[in-house]
């Protein structure tokens, strides 16, 4: 049997996806890095190949577009050694759903839901046949804490949690593990977009922030322990426990939601 293991990571050009790529390459995985910014991916692939003597491939694709997902599916179909799929590509928007740009919300559903489902479907037959492998779907604590301004985002992340939990139930005994990774506030480029222009990181309590590397490291450790939904960080676990209770939801909103100043 081929001893090589490959991980395909979407959203690998920055943040949590890039942190997974670095951790996995350091652990001896060959990596396939997927996102839109080809130069970023090429630079990371070069760094990982140099540093860890692993194979690092790049796939520049827009996963919110059907053709881009098809490219990633084709890459997966040709992989004999795919041991881990990390669906990390994602973005957020801010503002009330009733006034939101619908096209952007649908793009989010394409990326978070449709692309993730299609890549899981592409990866699983090979993993099941080999009796091994894992998929990490990057969701969010927002799946459990209703916060205004995040309606479609929370919906897509809630989908990923339910999808992952049920998929794992179906795959019991197959040797394939599924994780719904639910980070809280994470230092990355997520809040650097035009949509988060008015977002001020400093107004979120420091204890709620984690580094992308800590999120990736915790996720990979948790994968070995079983359990599907994984919330990294004690503060985030408290947030989720309180966020599920209606009594605490006004408090959660005060901590998490930043009013848009017009
Ligand atoms: N940061 C947080 O506070 C936080 C909290 C909870 C959950 N998350 C989730 O964590 C995941 C990673 O986010 P992050 O924090 O690492 O943010 P990030 O630094 O902005 O990274 C997002 C990644 O997704 C890729 N991406 C975005 N749109 C894409 C598209 N259409 N096609 C392909 N790739 C696309 C980006 O690459 P390109 O621009 O090069 O395409 C980038 O690599 C997301 O699913 C996010 O929802 C983040």
């Amino acid at each position: 049997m081929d001893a090589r293991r490959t991980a395909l990571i979407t959203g690998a050009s920055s943040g949590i996806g890039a942190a997974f790529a670095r951790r996995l390459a350091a652990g001896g995985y060959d990596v396939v890095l997927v996102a839109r910014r080809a130069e970023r991916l090429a630079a990371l692939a070069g760094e990982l190949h140099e540093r860890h003597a692993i194979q690092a491939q790049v796939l520049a694709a827009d996963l919110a577009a059907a053709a881009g997902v098809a490219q990633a599916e084709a890459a997966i179909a040709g992989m004999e050694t795919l041991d881990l799929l990390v669906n990390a590509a994602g973005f957020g928007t801010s503002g009330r759903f009733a006034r939101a740009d619908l096209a952007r919300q649908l793009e989010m559903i394409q990326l978070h839901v449709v692309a993730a489902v299609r890549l899981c479907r592409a990866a699983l037959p090979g993993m099941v046949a080999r009796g091994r492998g894992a998929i990490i779907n990057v969701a969010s604590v927002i799946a459990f804490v209703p916060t205004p301004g995040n309606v479609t985002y929370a919906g897509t992340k809630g989908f990923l949690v339910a999808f992952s939990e049920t998929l794992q139930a179906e795959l019991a005994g197959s040797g394939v593990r599924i994780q719904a990774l639910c980070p809280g506030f994470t230092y990355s480029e997520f809040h650097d977009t035009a949509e988060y222009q008015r977002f001020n990181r400093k107004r979120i309590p420091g204890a709620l922030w984690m580094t992308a590397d800590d999120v990736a490291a915790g996720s990979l450790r948790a994968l070995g322990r079983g359990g599907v939904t994984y919330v990294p960080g004690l503060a985030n676990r408290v947030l989720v426990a309180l966020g599920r209770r209606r009594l605490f939801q006004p408090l959660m909103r005060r901590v998490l939601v930043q009013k848009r100043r017009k």
Side-chain angles (χ1 to χ4, degrees), residues 22-37:
R22 290 198 164 89
R23 287 250 155 209
L24 291 164
Y29 278 82
D30 292 330
V31 291
V32 180
L33 310 176
V34 188
R36 292 166 302 181
R37 287 171 292 177

Side-chain angles (χ1 to χ4, degrees), residues 11-17 34-37 61-64 88-91 107 111-112 138-141 153 157 183-191 209:
S13 62
S14 78
I16 295 171
V34 188
R36 292 166 302 181
R37 287 171 292 177
D62 180 353
L63 297 177
F91 68 91
E107 186 186 334
L111 181 60
H112 295 182
V138 183
S140 167
V141 290
Y153 186 78
K157 298 304 188 179
F185 288 104
T186 307
Y187 293 114
S188 71
E189 295 176 20
F190 186 89
H191 297 100
W209 285 94

Side-chain angles (χ1 to χ4, degrees), residues 7-60:
L8 184 141
I9 303 136
T10 76
S13 62
S14 78
I16 295 171
F20 268 110
R22 290 198 164 89
R23 287 250 155 209
L24 291 164
Y29 278 82
D30 292 330
V31 291
V32 180
L33 310 176
V34 188
R36 292 166 302 181
R37 287 171 292 177
E39 338 69 58
R40 286 279 199 107
L41 296 176
L44 181 58
E47 172 198 320
L48 298 180
H49 174 66
E50 288 268 299
R51 191 170 290 177
H52 305 294
I54 50 94
Q55 298 300 315
Q57 288 177 54
V58 161
L59 174 58

